[in-house]
Amino acid sequence: MAVVTLSAGTLVVAVDARTWPQALVLSAGAIAAFVASVRWTAVGIPRVVLPCLIVTAAVWIVGALVLDAHAAFFGISVVGSLYAPKVPRHRVVAAVGLVTFVALVGAAKLLIAPDDVTDVLPLYVLLPAGVTVVMAGSMFAGQVFYDLVEELEDARERESELAVVQERMRFASDLHDIQGHTLHVVKLKITLAERLLGTDVRRAGEELREVRALVGDTITQTKELAYAQRRLNLSAELENAKNLFEAAGIHVRVEREAEVDERANELLGQVLRETTTNILRHAQATYVRITLSEAGIAVLNDGAGTTPLSGLSGLSTLKERIADNGGELTVEKRDGRFLTRAQFPFRRSER
């Protein structure tokens, strides 16, 4: 823009200036237009714009009414057209005011030379006003495009920030799954070991060894999570859930309606792990029934506690994750029983 403005301003001075006063005045307008165009990409309206606007307005007035330089409108049309679209409010009013000013100054020439209407009207009114309208319209279109690009960039930034937040939430959720589950199991096994110390020292030792192995496994899973290598296995989670429920004195029954689809394996494993933790933490269960289908799992237990559904934050987060993968997680609490069901729409025939 600066190069174009400087080139056009130089051409205006070279073509229209016939005397030294005309050259000086037209040069002042061209220089002011160049300075304003250099600062055009700045955010908002720089301080140099107002002085440039005053100089170019004065150049147009002097050029039209004193020096007979009809090209003196160049500076005011450039500066006004560049910055009218950047006015915070009333942009259209600013553009209309610019064109009106240019036309009125040119029309004032008729007061000085009323007999030269055929020369004054096209050179001092129609041409300057028309060029200003075209330039302002072009700049308004350019500003609209520029604003659109900025909005798209802002949207991309917001999308990137959202992706970072979602990744942090996913990491926090996975860490909660690992650490929370392990801590509750460790608490359960240590409590069992304390009860066994006076009656069965060998069994208490086994429980403590299992606690040590569990802690070691949790450390490994945490490292895998940090390096994005962690994947849950439904079969392993199922075996782990059975052992935990039996250790807590809860009768557990597993029903397999079909082999689980590999595409649902990991997410269903997460559902089972979170549900197992919730039962051990919040329920006074005596039995648990786990039903596996091709693309779903249902876990039913009795002894449902008083914890409201809204308090199960782990399941809420997991519900969103399953929904993002096209599935559905539902929970139901009725007559002292709690049902957690996760289901995906695909079937093995869709492979």
Side-chain angles (χ1 to χ4, degrees), residues 145-159:
F145 178 76
Y146 183 76
D147 291 343
L148 179 60
V149 171
E150 281 193 330
E151 289 179 4
L152 289 174
E153 289 181 351
D154 290 341
R156 289 193 188 99
E157 289 182 3
R158 288 193 295 269
E159 189 174 321

Side-chain angles (χ1 to χ4, degrees), residues 22 32 36 69 77 82 89 100 117 131 152 196-197 233 240 286 301 303 310 321-322:
Q22 288 181 339
S77 65
L82 284 175
R89 291 181 294 179
T100 302
V117 176
V131 170
L152 289 174
L196 293 172
L197 280 175
N233 181 279
N240 181 60
T286 60
N301 65 276
S310 58
R321 189 181 304 177
I322 290 176

Side-chain angles (χ1 to χ4, degrees), residues 5-72:
T5 302
L6 183 61
S7 302
T10 303
L11 183 63
V12 166
V13 174
V15 172
D16 199 49
R18 295 181 297 276
T19 63
W20 282 110
Q22 288 181 339
L24 291 175
V25 171
L26 292 175
S27 296
I31 292 172
F34 171 73
V35 172
S37 65
V38 168
R39 299 290 294 152
W40 177 65
T41 56
V43 177
I45 300 179
R47 296 180 179 179
V48 299
V49 172
L50 182 58
C52 292
L53 199 61
I54 294 173
V55 169
T56 53
V59 166
W60 174 224
I61 293 173
V62 173
L65 304 182
V66 179
L67 299 178
D68 293 328
H70 64 84

Side-chain angles (χ1 to χ4, degrees), residues 251-331:
H251 176 70
V252 57
R253 187 175 69 180
V254 179
E255 298 178 354
R256 293 180 180 270
E257 297 178 354
E259 288 297 320
V260 177
D261 194 302
E262 285 298 324
R263 291 172 291 180
N265 191 293
E266 183 175 356
L267 283 173
L268 295 183
Q270 293 179 16
V271 172
L272 180 56
R273 168 169 284 202
E274 181 64 29
T275 304
T276 301
T277 301
N278 287 337
I279 293 173
L280 295 174
R281 181 194 296 180
H282 302 294
Q284 303 296 323
T286 60
Y287 77 86
V288 175
R289 186 179 68 203
I290 303 171
T291 305
L292 298 174
S293 61
E294 186 177 358
I297 187 172
V299 182
L300 177 69
N301 65 276
D302 67 344
T306 58
T307 302
L309 297 182
S310 58
L312 302 176
S313 58
L315 283 179
S316 300
T317 303
L318 197 55
K319 183 176 182 179
E320 295 178 2
R321 189 181 304 177
I322 290 176
D324 291 340
N325 286 271
E328 182 181 16
L329 175 66
T330 58
V331 293

Side-chain angles (χ1 to χ4, degrees), residues 7 30 43 52 90 140 146 178 205 238-239 244 272 274 287 332 348:
S7 302
V43 177
C52 292
H90 309 300
F140 266 94
Y146 183 76
I178 295 173
L238 183 62
E239 189 65 27
L244 290 175
L272 180 56
E274 181 64 29
Y287 77 86
E332 181 182 338
R348 196 175 302 277

Side-chain angles (χ1 to χ4, degrees), residues 80-99:
S81 298
L82 284 175
Y83 286 94
K86 301 188 75 171
V87 174
R89 291 181 294 179
H90 309 300
R91 297 178 179 181
V92 176
V93 174
V96 171
L98 170 68
V99 175

Side-chain angles (χ1 to χ4, degrees), residues 108-290:
K109 181 71 172 177
L110 293 172
L111 300 177
I112 301 173
D115 298 332
D116 296 333
V117 176
T118 55
D119 292 332
V120 171
L121 191 61
L123 292 178
Y124 289 87
V125 180
L126 298 180
L127 179 62
V131 170
T132 304
V133 167
V134 172
M135 292 182 65
S138 300
M139 293 309 301
F140 266 94
Q143 187 65 40
V144 170
F145 178 76
Y146 183 76
D147 291 343
L148 179 60
V149 171
E150 281 193 330
E151 289 179 4
L152 289 174
E153 289 181 351
D154 290 341
R156 289 193 188 99
E157 289 182 3
R158 288 193 295 269
E159 189 174 321
S160 299
E161 292 173 357
L162 180 60
V164 171
V165 172
Q166 290 177 334
E167 179 60 20
R168 288 175 178 171
M169 291 180 63
R170 183 201 64 79
F171 184 88
S173 176
D174 287 347
L175 189 61
H176 167 270
D177 290 344
I178 295 173
Q179 305 289 3
H181 179 81
T182 300
L183 290 175
H184 285 287
V185 174
V186 167
K187 178 182 177 182
L188 176 66
K189 285 187 171 293
I190 289 177
T191 301
L192 178 60
E194 287 178 344
R195 291 203 303 262
L196 293 172
L197 280 175
T199 58
D200 191 343
V201 176
R202 185 185 61 80
R203 175 73 186 282
E206 291 179 358
E207 293 294 334
L208 291 176
R209 283 191 291 274
E210 288 183 10
V211 168
R212 183 176 62 182
L214 182 61
V215 171
D217 182 59
T218 301
I219 293 173
T220 301
Q221 290 189 53
T222 304
K223 289 181 179 179
E224 291 175 350
L225 175 63
Y227 292 99
Q229 296 174 338
R230 174 177 177 258
R231 294 185 65 86
L232 288 182
N233 181 279
L234 179 58
S235 298
E237 291 301 319
L238 183 62
E239 189 65 27
N240 181 60
K242 288 171 60 179
N243 292 336
L244 290 175
F245 288 142
E246 289 173 354
I250 301 173
H251 176 70
V252 57
R253 187 175 69 180
V254 179
E255 298 178 354
R256 293 180 180 270
E257 297 178 354
E259 288 297 320
V260 177
D261 194 302
E262 285 298 324
R263 291 172 291 180
N265 191 293
E266 183 175 356
L267 283 173
L268 295 183
Q270 293 179 16
V271 172
L272 180 56
R273 168 169 284 202
E274 181 64 29
T275 304
T276 301
T277 301
N278 287 337
I279 293 173
L280 295 174
R281 181 194 296 180
H282 302 294
Q284 303 296 323
T286 60
Y287 77 86
V288 175
R289 186 179 68 203
I290 303 171

